[in-house]
Amino acid sequence: MPEPKHVTANSGDVLLLTGTMKGAFVLRSDKAREDWEVGGPYFPGRAIYALAYDDRSGRHRLWAAVNSSYWGSYLSSSDDFGKTWTEPETYGVKFPEGADASVKQIWQIALGHADEPDTLYCGVEPAALFKSTDAGASWSLVEGLYNHPHRSQWMPGGGGLCLHTILPDASDRKRLFVAISTGGVYRTDDGGANWQPRNVGIRAQFLPPEQRYPEWGQCVHKIASNPANPKQLFLQNHWGLYRSDDGGDSWTDIANGVPSDFGFAMEVDPNDGSVFIIPLESDEFRCTPEGKLRVYRTRDAGASWVATQSGLPQENALETVLRDGLSMDSLQPSGIYFGTRSGKLFGSKDAGESWSAILESLPAVVCVKTAVVN
Amino acid sequence: MITINVAGFLTDFTNGRSEIALDSQAATLRKALANLWEQHLGLRDRVLNEQGDLRPHVNIFVNGENVRRQQLLDTTLPESCEITILPSVSGG
């Protein structure tokens, strides 16, 4: 196995957490974001679909979802930016004994609401949500969602039946959104006891015409919220781009001028609410249209989209960026980063105006997350 | 006498030992593994899922015979046997 390199991060540095099909990497730069120091590979050979950075309550903790086709899935953490990682004797994220499910893969790690600094969430396949209220020391199944009457009818998408997105509402500590492929968007308004589907207006292209707008069952690929206006949400569907201005109660098509409304990744700029997506050509091909690698941005909530592509390959670039392959930092101007299935990692330190390659020979990238070290 | 062989990654959870002699008898593989977990708990969740089923890409052999062709964890054990836990051929 390769000997990992390590980074040392200081306050103000930017972290670029990169999960691949063959391990995790921790990249570090100062706030100029010109040069990146690379730590890793960590967990060589393991697929790392989820990474997170928890800097609440004085922590500097990295989280990784370590997935092995042999040995199962578990969470590991590092309090020294990757130099050492926990290897738990027993797995924490698991269904109760006697349940009709076992964890196939951990897809997402998310921090809880701001006033709950010890709360973490995990989304898994088969679709279920787990919660920790002790900063990840122990986990329990969110039974309100597990016992939902729709659960038995959710169907797996191409990647499996996964709960891949967890979105706490910044303005309401009892409200949380999750997205499931293929189940759709669900929202709780009471801290997880009860869940309602929130998919009005979202198309299910794979159903017969008269059934294309079901209450639930859509293949939602990603949802993101506007930090300045948490009731405003954006959604990349399996065919379809949408915005909600009412906390998910209804959705409006905003695929105005994009080369394809199919795609996976979606991010909202924490500084100005711009939305970024990377359209892909069709659900059969799933590559960037016209052989051009373009990141589309809207600054008017989806009324219009423009391609950002300066510095990105524009010939023979048949790339795929997956649902967690795009991430933004909170510096000014915003940094935006994405990784491809072909192992390339690109970044922009000016909110997409110009791009450059950061790394080009990684294993397939499935997760990119950023953080600014406090 | 029941001896259990593990290799590679799994020895991280056996203090580096690749051969473990069980200190009690067991009529079935399930009971032998339960005894193994008492000695090396870290092996359990890596070999079995949380419902107690053998992970799909892990194989266990009893005296060289794959228990998937027998009764899985309910495979009966002779008084003396060698159990080997191995990852299957998979990946990419």
Side-chain angles (χ1 to χ4, degrees), chain A residues 22 88-89 91 95 98 101 103, chain B residues 45-46 50-51 57 88 90 92:
Chain A
K22 302 283 186 181
E89 188 169 48
Y91 294 172
F95 289 93
V103 172
Chain B
D45 288 353
R46 287 151 180 95
E50 63 264 51
Q51 303 309 333
H57 296 288
S88 67
S90 68

Side-chain angles (χ1 to χ4, degrees), chain A residues 86-362:
Chain A
T86 58
E87 180 80 49
E89 188 169 48
T90 59
Y91 294 172
V93 176
K94 55 187 174 186
F95 289 93
E97 192 177 333
D100 62 357
S102 58
V103 172
K104 186 173 180 187
Q105 180 167 299
I106 299 171
W107 279 81
Q108 189 73 189
I109 308 163
L111 308 187
H113 291 84
D115 63 346
E116 298 174 319
D118 291 335
T119 296
L120 289 160
Y121 292 97
C122 238
V124 308
E125 173 189 356
L129 183 67
F130 287 81
K131 182 177 183 179
S132 170
T133 56
D134 53 11
S138 64
W139 294 84
S140 57
L141 177 66
V142 175
E143 298 207 5
L145 187 63
Y146 178 75
N147 292 325
H148 199 287
H150 295 170
R151 185 176 73 90
S152 63
Q153 297 170 71
W154 294 337
M155 300 288 286
L161 176 51
C162 53
L163 191 156
H164 53 70
T165 302
I166 303 162
L167 205 56
D169 185 320
S171 64
D172 184 344
R173 68 190 306 267
K174 293 289 187 186
R175 177 173 284 193
L176 186 77
F177 299 87
V178 298
I180 297 164
S181 293
T182 294
V185 176
Y186 284 76
R187 189 183 81 196
T188 179
D189 293 330
D190 59 10
N194 294 284
W195 296 80
Q196 298 81 35
R198 284 291 176 265
N199 304 287
V200 173
I202 302 173
R203 187 168 89 247
Q205 184 83 9
F206 47 86
L207 293 179
E210 68 277 10
Q211 300 175 34
R212 288 222 168 126
Y213 290 88
E215 182 188 12
W216 54 275
Q218 287 83 346
C219 187
V220 176
H221 285 177
K222 185 54 70 178
I223 52 175
S225 66
N226 181 351
N229 176 14
K231 287 202 163 25
Q232 186 175 66
L233 300 161
F234 297 90
L235 185 151
Q236 172 68 68
N237 200 42
H238 184 115
W239 294 119
L241 273 171
Y242 298 93
R243 186 190 73 238
S244 173
D245 295 316
D246 53 15
D249 286 342
S250 62
W251 297 88
T252 304
D253 193 315
I254 55 168
N256 302 305
V258 290
S260 168
D261 64 356
F262 184 88
F264 288 99
M266 169 175 265
E267 268 287 79
V268 178
D269 189 328
N271 288 315
D272 66 4
S274 298
V275 183
F276 292 82
I277 58 168
I278 303 177
L280 303 178
E281 184 177 332
S282 86
D283 55 350
E284 287 191 51
F285 191 40
R286 301 188 181 208
C287 288
T288 42
E290 303 166 47
K292 298 178 179 179
L293 182 49
R294 294 168 293 191
V295 180
Y296 278 75
R297 178 184 65 207
T298 178
R299 286 178 164 158
D300 52 17
S304 62
W305 296 83
V306 297
T308 74
Q309 59 198 63
S310 176
L312 295 175
Q314 298 301 301
E315 288 185 13
N316 304 316
L318 298 172
E319 300 283 6
T320 304
V321 179
L322 295 177
R323 69 181 90 245
D324 279 303
L326 175 68
S327 185
M328 299 194 74
D329 68 35
S330 55
L331 296 179
Q332 291 270 11
S334 309
I336 180 166
Y337 314 89
F338 67 90
T340 71
R341 285 284 301 260
S342 64
K344 302 181 185 75
L345 191 61
F346 293 95
S348 167
K349 58 185 179 180
D350 53 14
E353 292 301 317
S354 62
W355 295 87
S356 59
I358 296 173
L359 289 172
E360 295 191 89
S361 300
L362 290 171

